[in-house]
Amino acid sequence: MAQTLDGKKIAFLLTDGVEQVELTHPWQAVKDAGGTPVLISPKDDSVQGMNGDTEEGDTFPVDVKLADAKPEDYASLVIPGGVVNADTLRTEQAAVAFAKAFFDAKKPVASICHGPWLLIEAGVVEGRKLTSYPSLQTDLKNAGATWVDETVVVDQGLTTSRNPDDLEAFSAKVVEEAAEGQHEGQHA
């Protein structure tokens, strides 16, 4: 039976430099499951998507400025990758706090590719098993995570994947975990 999100709002946190397909694929999966994806950004107009990290893609309108976003309004959080996107977000204290709030509330969080850099900054990876783009493995291990080279990893409500090749599995888990809701065993 297909998972349904029954109109749940799903936060997508990103900024310029986002890997476009890592935004659009799970975004469509959320819509297809009846959810409402919401693009949240430190920017207030639009964000520049990228195909890879060097070729400009489409621009995407910001739905809610990060300063106005409230984690309690969303069922789960998705953090797409892209080197510039992830590196910029991890330096934004409001983005770090927004992501950490989902862990504190035991809500599902999904992050792909370079997105886990934000999770390191939020201090939520220690003791967790996860994956990412391979170049982050040392950063994640140094932050106390167990890094594995797998398509998709779910650990107490945290879903992670490596790259755009993993999007089918990643997007399915984004929907599944958001449909399940809060995870009692999840810890920050």
Side-chain angles (χ1 to χ4, degrees):
M1 184 173 137
Q3 297 282 339
T4 179
L5 296 180
D6 300 331
K8 289 182 180 182
K9 292 196 315 186
I10 309 300
F12 281 72
L13 179 60
L14 57 131
T15 193
D16 288 336
V18 66
E19 175 76 46
Q20 183 163 316
V21 71
E22 293 174 359
L23 165 62
T24 59
H25 196 283
W27 183 280
Q28 190 60 50
V30 165
K31 286 177 69 173
D32 291 348
T36 303
V38 179
L39 196 155
I40 298 170
S41 179
K43 297 188 69 193
D44 58 7
D45 49 3
S46 64
V47 297
Q48 178 65 57
M50 300 297 285
N51 296 312
D53 287 314
T54 57
E55 182 184 322
E56 283 191 358
D58 299 324
T59 57
F60 299 91
V62 172
D63 296 316
V64 178
K65 186 164 170 65
L66 178 58
D68 300 326
K70 296 176 178 61
E72 59 269 21
D73 292 343
Y74 303 95
S76 68
L77 171 64
V78 178
I79 305 165
V83 173
V84 173
N85 169 61
D87 195 47
T88 302
L89 284 179
R90 70 180 175 161
T91 66
E92 293 268 351
Q93 277 309 113
V96 173
F98 188 78
K100 186 168 185 333
F102 282 81
F103 286 87
D104 292 345
K106 298 179 173 44
K107 291 182 179 182
V109 174
S111 187
I112 187 168
C113 200
H114 287 81
W117 265 341
L118 180 60
L119 303 179
I120 292 170
E121 206 61 40
V124 296
V125 299
E126 186 173 359
R128 290 182 179 274
K129 177 182 170 186
L130 58 127
T131 193
S132 66
Y133 195 75
S135 66
L136 274 66
Q137 95 177 260
T138 299
D139 296 340
L140 286 161
K141 288 176 181 177
N142 286 342
T146 299
W147 187 89
V148 295
D149 185 12
E150 296 176 12
T151 302
V152 65
V153 176
V154 179
D155 183 332
Q156 300 174 63
L158 172 61
T159 300
T160 52
S161 284
R162 303 168 298 189
N163 58 54
D165 293 340
D166 300 338
L167 279 167
E168 286 296 327
F170 178 73
S171 295
K173 283 294 183 186
V174 164
V175 170
E176 179 183 327
E177 292 297 308
E180 287 177 8
Q182 290 182 309
H183 289 67
E184 290 307 313
Q186 190 172 343
H187 65 284

